Amino acid sequence: RKEVEQDPGPFNVPEGATVAFNCTYSNSASQSFFWYRQDCRKEPKLLMSVYSSGNEDGRFTAQLNRASQYISLLIRDSKLSDSATYLCAVNRGGGATNKLIFGTGTLLAVQP
Amino acid sequence: NAGVMQNPRHLVRRRGQEARLRCSPMKGHSHVYWYRQLPEEGLKFMVYLQKENIIDESGMPKERFSAEFPKEGPSILRIQQVVRGDSAAYFCASSPVAVISTDTQYFGPGTRLTVL
């Protein structure tokens, strides 16, 4: 079983739709959580950090559920420009390491 | 404030040659990470370095791969005697501090290595 798992998609949604992605992680000692966006053949760009209290940035809302070990990303009022691959990342922490463990990504295609 | 810089952006090598990938972190960042993304796969951690120290190399292949982050100059990821399976995008990321619970890593544009 992978340490961080995501539904690979693709998610094909019309403009204006609301779409939600989930990501599960297996290591209960994980300390910090992130959503990144990656466009085709580009680098991952930080979308938002994910906090236990949940956080919102415009049309994007991220939630963390430590008890069930998953994080979620909600995108409201989808735009064509939201089409990308969304990566969840978990910082396992522990000891001196600070490495991120990534899911394989969920592909979102917003249709006109 | 310039972001993470990587060069070259594209690198073509023949089997058996050496590949050197360079990464300059964001200004004020002293922690560098290297990740590899194989075609159709996710990002995999390779190595985490601070100036003159390797902190975690648990993701590095045992042979042919090495990394350094000298006191002066960029971080270097070196791949000796490249093979076709090394063809991938190599991303560098940097972060400012080692407060793990709040640290955020910012990625460079990557180096796309093609081994012929």
Side-chain angles (χ1 to χ4, degrees):
Chain A
R1 184 188 169 191
K2 292 180 181 175
E3 188 167 344
V4 178
E5 294 203 76
Q6 293 181 252
D7 182 342
F11 282 55
N12 295 300
V13 303
E15 269 187 291
T18 295
V19 61
F21 306 135
N22 281 337
C23 170
T24 59
Y25 61 95
S26 60
N27 191 324
S28 59
S30 299
Q31 296 191 9
S32 51
F33 309 87
F34 307 90
W35 282 103
Y36 283 82
R37 170 197 168 125
Q38 186 174 28
D39 292 284
C40 187
R41 300 184 68 77
K42 299 283 191 180
E43 74 272 25
K45 291 192 172 163
L46 181 68
L47 188 61
M48 52 203 311
S49 302
V50 189
Y51 306 113
S52 295
S53 55
N55 46 309
E56 185 174 314
D57 182 3
R59 298 182 293 108
F60 298 84
T61 301
Q63 295 275 357
L64 166 63
N65 185 319
R66 284 192 184 272
S68 301
Q69 294 183 202
Y70 76 84
I71 64 174
S72 63
L73 177 68
L74 184 77
I75 306 175
R76 289 181 298 278
D77 187 24
S78 301
K79 312 289 185 192
L80 293 175
S81 57
D82 293 334
S83 298
T85 296
Y86 290 83
L87 306 168
C88 70
V90 172
N91 187 323
R92 189 193 292 165
T97 192
N98 201 22
K99 64 185 177 187
L100 291 176
I101 310 297
F102 282 88
T104 50
T106 298
L107 180 61
L108 172 65
V110 181
Q111 314 288 345
Chain B
N1 187 10
V4 179
M5 312 277 283
Q6 288 188 251
N7 67 80
R9 298 288 301 274
H10 300 275
L11 183 61
V12 179
R13 286 287 178 264
R14 297 192 180 280
R15 280 181 297 168
Q17 291 184 318
E18 178 180 284
R20 280 192 179 220
L21 288 62
R22 287 176 290 278
C23 169
S24 296
M26 286 177 73
K27 189 175 180 181
H29 288 195
S30 58
H31 300 256
V32 165
Y33 315 81
W34 286 93
Y35 294 83
R36 176 165 68 173
Q37 189 169 37
L38 292 166
E40 307 304 323
E41 291 190 20
L43 282 150
K44 303 287 186 194
F45 168 81
M46 298 182 75
V47 62
Y48 163 33
L49 310 105
Q50 295 174 25
K51 285 283 187 182
E52 300 184 279
N53 284 304
I54 296 175
I55 307 302
D56 180 355
E57 56 182 345
S58 58
M60 288 279 270
K62 298 289 182 228
E63 296 177 348
R64 304 186 297 108
F65 285 72
S66 62
E68 63 176 4
F69 189 14
K71 189 176 179 181
E72 302 290 339
S75 175
I76 306 283
L77 178 69
R78 179 203 272 183
I79 312 172
Q80 295 178 297
Q81 299 177 325
V82 296
V83 300
R84 290 218 173 99
D86 297 332
S87 296
Y90 291 82
F91 291 100
C92 170
S94 72
S95 67
V97 294
V99 180
I100 291 174
S101 61
T102 59
D103 210 357
T104 299
Q105 296 178 25
Y106 298 90
F107 283 78
T111 294
R112 298 195 179 275
L113 173 65
T114 301
V115 179
L116 301 177

